[in-house]
Amino acid sequence: MEWLQNPVFTTWDSNTSLWSNALITLYMTAGTMLFATVVGLPVGVLLFETEKSHGALARWVNRVVGFVVNVGRSFPFIILIIALIPVTRFMVGRVTGPNAAMFALTISAIPFLARLIEINLREISAGKIEATQMMGASRWQVIRQVLLPEALPGIIGSLTTTTIAVVGYTAMAGVVGGKGLGDLATRMGYQSYDNVVMVATVVLLIVIVIAIQGLGSFAAKAVDHRARQS
């Protein structure tokens, strides 16, 4: 099988190796999800908590944060990463490479994840929340002891969905110098007319997505007390 002698399979050079670029893609995905979760989860909780609040300040916060989230979700990623070039240069010190791409990936993933988290929290029965409040629980206790535990299977599902979306974004980031499998497919596959490289990168991306979905589904079922009771 001559295609196995292709340099993308036989070297670890980051410019030509399928395996090195796969690791770069996983690095960008993991880093992006870490930062997106740290920011996106609290933002999602904030959107949920302020949505039905009677306070003027809370309603104002909900409108402002909701507007920012909607604007962030409306940007196609390829446009966003170009629009963020000046900010990326200021924050990261460069506009190419995995770390620069990770900045834009995180900015794109945060509003996407935050809105999904808000939807997960909306699905919790109001009766459980009211019962906890009647026992004298503070709002922070409700969030920590009811909202997040009850929504955990859905939150894991949202994290899985966002992670898969980020994998796709990394491929687009590669087109503008972000490295990873997208960069390899563009340079070594499309521009060099090498169908072996194109097929290999697509297959590997499919494997990565299937693995992420499988792990996410397993984790969601493991923490779902409703599934254990049935």
Side-chain angles (χ1 to χ4, degrees):
M1 293 183 288
E2 295 183 359
W3 59 272
L4 286 175
Q5 302 305 314
N6 193 298
V8 298
F9 300 112
T10 58
T11 70
W12 280 89
D13 182 1
S14 61
N15 289 321
T16 59
S17 172
L18 181 70
W19 318 118
S20 292
N21 281 281
L23 291 177
I24 292 173
T25 293
L26 293 175
Y27 164 73
M28 289 191 291
T29 302
T32 297
M33 287 307 302
L34 174 62
F35 292 119
T37 302
V38 168
V39 179
L41 180 59
V43 171
V45 174
L46 179 65
L47 286 170
F48 175 79
E49 285 292 300
T50 57
E51 181 183 18
K52 297 180 180 180
S53 176
H54 298 295
L57 177 61
R59 292 199 303 271
W60 182 84
V61 169
N62 183 270
R63 292 193 190 100
V64 172
V65 176
F67 175 78
V68 173
V69 166
N70 289 335
V71 170
R73 293 174 62 213
S74 67
F75 268 89
F77 179 71
I78 194 68
I79 296 176
L80 178 66
I81 195 171
I82 295 173
L84 286 175
I85 284 177
V87 183
T88 303
R89 182 181 288 111
F90 175 77
M91 296 294 295
V92 184
R94 57 183 303 174
V95 296
T96 59
N99 291 332
M102 198 185 302
F103 176 76
L105 288 165
T106 302
I107 296 299
S108 179
I110 287 172
F112 184 82
L113 177 61
R115 192 61 80 182
L116 291 177
I117 297 297
E118 180 193 11
I119 294 172
N120 295 144
L121 296 176
R122 285 179 181 175
E123 294 175 351
I124 300 173
S125 171
K128 292 183 178 180
I129 299 174
E130 292 171 358
T132 306
Q133 290 175 324
M134 289 176 63
M135 290 187 290
S138 66
R139 197 60 201 176
W140 169 245
Q141 290 174 321
V142 172
I143 293 172
R144 186 167 54 89
Q145 298 176 7
V146 179
L147 290 179
L148 294 180
E150 289 293 324
L152 188 56
I155 290 174
I156 292 176
S158 296
L159 289 171
T160 303
T161 300
T162 306
T163 304
I164 291 173
V166 168
V167 171
Y169 292 161
T170 64
M172 287 185 277
V175 177
V176 291
K179 298 295 184 181
L181 291 173
D183 174 64
L184 182 70
T186 302
R187 289 186 299 101
M188 301 292 293
Y190 177 72
Q191 294 177 356
S192 300
Y193 302 100
D194 192 334
N195 291 329
V196 171
V197 177
M198 290 295 294
V199 172
T201 53
V202 169
V203 170
L204 189 52
L205 283 169
I206 291 173
V207 170
I208 291 172
V209 168
I210 291 175
I212 292 171
Q213 184 62 62
L215 288 172
S217 298
F218 175 81
K221 290 180 180 178
V223 301
D224 191 348
H225 61 86
R226 294 167 299 182
R228 291 196 297 268
Q229 290 173 353
S230 60

